[in-house]
């Protein structure tokens, strides 16, 4: 599918990261939280409808979602530089510019906290690169 604007590209990438949260983890992390949650299992007949609607186990990714996820993760994101990729990843996961600047500095992507305008410009450059290679 061809996209004509960077806004459309951004929306598709945001959707891909939403799909990424629905996919099962690569490995089970047993160190997080208590093990009581894995021992106690409340049957669905005793749970409220709101609890059932919010249960992440019951949300599934469709075949179309997986195609979008594959396209973004394996075609679009590898074609941009490492810094642009990290900025796009953080911004499309709804992180603010200041938090992105601190994240890049902590993870050694940048040697100092970058200005918001620099981050925005780099974000737009990455989206334009994806658009031209699309």
């Amino acid at each position: 599918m061809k996209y004509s604007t960077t806004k459309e590209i951004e929306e598709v990438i945001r959707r891909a990261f939403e799909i990424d949260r629905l996919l099962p983890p690569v490995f089970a992390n047993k160190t997080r939280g208590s093990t009581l949650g894995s021992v106690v299992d409340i049957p669905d007949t005793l749970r409220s409808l709101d609890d059932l609607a919010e249960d992440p186990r019951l949300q599934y990714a469709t075949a179309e979602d997986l195609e979008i996820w594959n396209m973004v993760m394996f075609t679009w994101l590898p074609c941009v530089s490492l810094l642009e990729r990290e900025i796009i990843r953080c911004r499309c996961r709804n992180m603010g510019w200041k938090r992105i600047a601190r994240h890049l500095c902590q993870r050694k992507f940048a040697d100092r906290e970058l200005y918001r305008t620099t981050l925005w410009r780099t974000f737009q450059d990455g989206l334009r690169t994806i658009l031209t290679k699309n």
Side-chain angles (χ1 to χ4, degrees):
M1 176 178 245
K2 279 293 199 180
Y3 298 98
S4 58
T5 64
T6 57
K7 202 66 173 165
E8 292 173 350
I9 297 286
E10 182 182 352
E11 290 172 8
V12 172
I13 293 173
R14 284 182 187 273
R15 178 66 186 139
F17 282 114
E18 289 173 8
I19 294 165
D20 193 45
R21 281 193 295 262
L22 290 178
L23 296 175
V26 177
F27 58 91
N29 189 359
K30 295 292 183 182
T31 61
R32 184 176 23 159
S34 69
T35 57
L36 183 62
S38 61
V39 173
V40 176
D41 189 25
I42 301 172
D44 289 341
T45 56
L46 298 177
R47 296 173 63 195
S48 69
L49 292 176
D50 293 334
D51 287 342
L52 289 173
E54 293 175 359
D55 193 358
R57 294 179 299 166
L58 300 177
Q59 298 173 354
Y60 300 106
T62 63
E64 180 182 307
D65 291 341
L66 292 176
E67 287 178 24
I68 290 171
W69 183 81
N70 273 330
M71 179 178 59
V72 169
M73 298 299 172
F74 298 117
T75 306
W76 288 4
L77 291 182
C79 75
V80 296
S81 71
L82 191 61
L83 179 65
E84 290 174 342
R85 186 180 319 148
E86 190 65 21
I87 292 172
I88 289 171
R89 184 182 72 82
C90 291
R91 188 62 182 174
C92 289
R93 287 183 171 177
N94 296 324
M95 286 176 72
W97 294 117
K98 190 177 285 189
R99 188 171 167 206
I100 293 172
R102 290 192 181 127
H103 170 78
L104 294 175
C105 193
Q106 288 172 351
R107 301 288 176 156
K108 306 289 188 221
F109 285 101
D111 55 347
R112 60 183 168 80
E113 288 189 13
L114 301 173
Y115 292 111
R116 294 176 189 160
T117 53
T118 306
L119 292 171
W120 179 82
R121 190 171 44 246
T122 308
F123 176 71
Q124 292 298 322
D125 289 344
L127 292 179
R128 272 189 239 108
T129 303
I130 292 171
L131 183 63
T132 57
K133 294 191 178 187
N134 180 14

